């Protein structure tokens, strides 16, 4: 491992200042020479692989005193960015009112990782594309902008079929982000000018011509929390994967519904494991809203969700698999007891 310096930030201002000072060369945030350390479950791995080479690590764990709360007030939920995945997954109120959140966190990683990893770090985790994580492959536009993409004609079984570009087909790997998308969550961001909020759906950027720029965070900014309006007891997270534990999704769906007298009054549908960013399936949502649910409607919604999907040599199976996951998740959400 390369040498690096270590700083421990005791307040948000110190953390922001330390991180912002490293981005004067206008590097994308993910290539900045100073990186925040929370649970460390992604960063340390990537440093060991020599993919990320920060000169400075800024330990933000002291901020957990004010950034790790799980607050349910009225019909709203606020989650601190430094809350541990296992703590949120095990919270009984979260399980009761937002089962899609609890399920997405329980189905992610291993118990040991969930005990260390934070919510903010989880949504910022980087792709598991093997060509990104193995530096012996030079042609990775996300790691070496302009170098090309080895996955295009390589082994791309785990790669994306939605939101891809000619520059990158790497899949966003997380689970929790899909729940946030389905719940129309806001993300709270702390930077030099204070705190701002934006829809979580606007945090991640599709690859386009610059796959190395993965989020809309500005230099020095940190995610400080997530806010969700309303309660969504009728919500599910369904994940298809190669094995039943400690595995990334081949395809997943986060569904939140408002159903009255068998009619779907509101629907939010998010997809994981199949897209370059946490993916909102708005065409499928529009198709089911105001409709009486039946199996045919579920299948039409699933078809709509993948209407623009483009498969490659090894990952085309994800389109058919993803349709089945969406249809089954809709069926589970409609029939669940609340």
């Amino acid at each position: 491992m390369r040498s690096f310096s270590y700083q421990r930030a005791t307040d948000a201002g110190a953390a922001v200042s330390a991180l912002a000072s490293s981005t004067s060369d206008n590097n994308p945030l993910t290539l900045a020479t100073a990186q925040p350390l929370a649970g460390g479950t992604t960063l340390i791995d990537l440093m060991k692989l020599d993919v990320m080479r920060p000169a400075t690590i800024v330990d933000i764990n002291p901020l957990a005193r004010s950034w790790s709360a799980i607050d349910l007030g009225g019909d709203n939920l606020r989650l601190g960015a430094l809350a541990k995945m296992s703590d949120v997954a095990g919270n009984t109120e979260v399980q009761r009112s937002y089962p899609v959140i609890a399920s997405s966190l329980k189905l992610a990683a291993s118990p040991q990782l969930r005990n260390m990893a934070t919510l903010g770090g989880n949504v910022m985790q980087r792709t598991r594309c093997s060509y990104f994580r193995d530096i012996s492959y030079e042609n990775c536009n996300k790691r070496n902008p302009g170098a090309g993409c080895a996955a295009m004609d390589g082994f791309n079984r785990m790669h994306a079929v939605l939101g891809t570009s000619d520059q990158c087909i790497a899949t966003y790997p997380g689970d929790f982000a899909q729940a946030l998308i389905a719940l129309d969550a806001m993300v709270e961001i702390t930077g030099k000018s204070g705190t701002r909020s934006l829809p979580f759906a606007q945090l991640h950027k599709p690859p386009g011509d610059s796959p190395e720029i993965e989020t809309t965070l500005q230099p020095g900014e940190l995610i400080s929390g997530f806010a969700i309006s309303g309660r969504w007891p009728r919500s599910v997270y369904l994940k298809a994967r190669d094995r039943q534990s400690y595995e990334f999704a081949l395809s997943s769906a986060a569904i939140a519904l408002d159903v009255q007298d068998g009619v779907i009054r509101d629907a939010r549908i998010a997809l994981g494991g199949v897209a370059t960013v946490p993916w909102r399936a708005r065409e499928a949502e529009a198709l089911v809203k105001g409709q009486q649910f039946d199996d045919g409607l579920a299948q039409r919604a699933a078809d709509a969700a993948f209407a623009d999907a483009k498969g490659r040599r090894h990952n085309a199976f994800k389109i058919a698999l993803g349709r089945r996951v969406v249809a089954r998740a809709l069926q589970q959400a409609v029939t669940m007891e609340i």
Side-chain angles (χ1 to χ4, degrees), residues 234 258-265 292:
R234 189 179 295 282
D258 176 7
V259 180
Q260 292 193 11
D261 301 324
V263 176
I264 299 174
R265 297 182 56 183
Q292 190 87 28

Side-chain angles (χ1 to χ4, degrees), residues 72-217:
L72 283 109
D75 282 340
N76 300 309
L77 170 65
R78 186 186 182 281
L79 299 170
L82 293 182
K84 301 294 187 184
M85 292 173 64
S86 55
D87 290 339
V88 179
N91 184 282
T92 55
E93 285 298 319
V94 171
Q95 293 172 352
R96 183 179 301 116
S97 298
Y98 307 93
V100 66
I101 289 180
S103 296
S104 70
L105 293 170
K106 285 180 179 177
L107 291 173
S110 66
Q112 294 89 345
L113 287 171
R114 293 195 293 271
N115 287 338
M116 286 296 297
T118 63
L119 299 186
N122 182 264
V123 301
M124 292 294 290
Q125 67 180 298
R126 308 192 69 183
T127 181
R128 308 300 295 190
C129 173
S130 56
Y131 300 106
F132 169 80
R133 293 173 63 88
D134 185 343
I135 64 170
S136 67
Y137 293 99
E138 293 185 358
N139 47 344
C140 171
N141 286 323
K142 191 179 284 293
R143 179 164 40 79
N144 291 324
C149 175
M152 295 285 180
D153 298 314
F155 185 65
N156 44 43
R157 180 175 182 270
M158 296 298 291
H159 289 70
V161 296
L162 290 166
T164 61
S165 75
D166 292 337
Q167 302 297 313
C168 184
I169 58 171
T171 307
Y172 174 80
D175 299 289
F176 174 54
Q178 277 67 256
L180 293 174
I181 292 279
L183 296 175
D184 258 346
M186 301 291 290
V187 56
E188 299 171 2
I189 296 167
T190 296
K192 291 185 289 186
S193 302
T195 299
R196 66 183 178 103
S197 295
L198 78 159
F200 181 78
Q202 297 178 13
L203 178 66
H204 294 89
K205 289 172 62 70
D209 293 330
S210 54
E212 76 278 11
I213 304 174
E214 298 172 330
T215 73
T216 56
L217 289 181

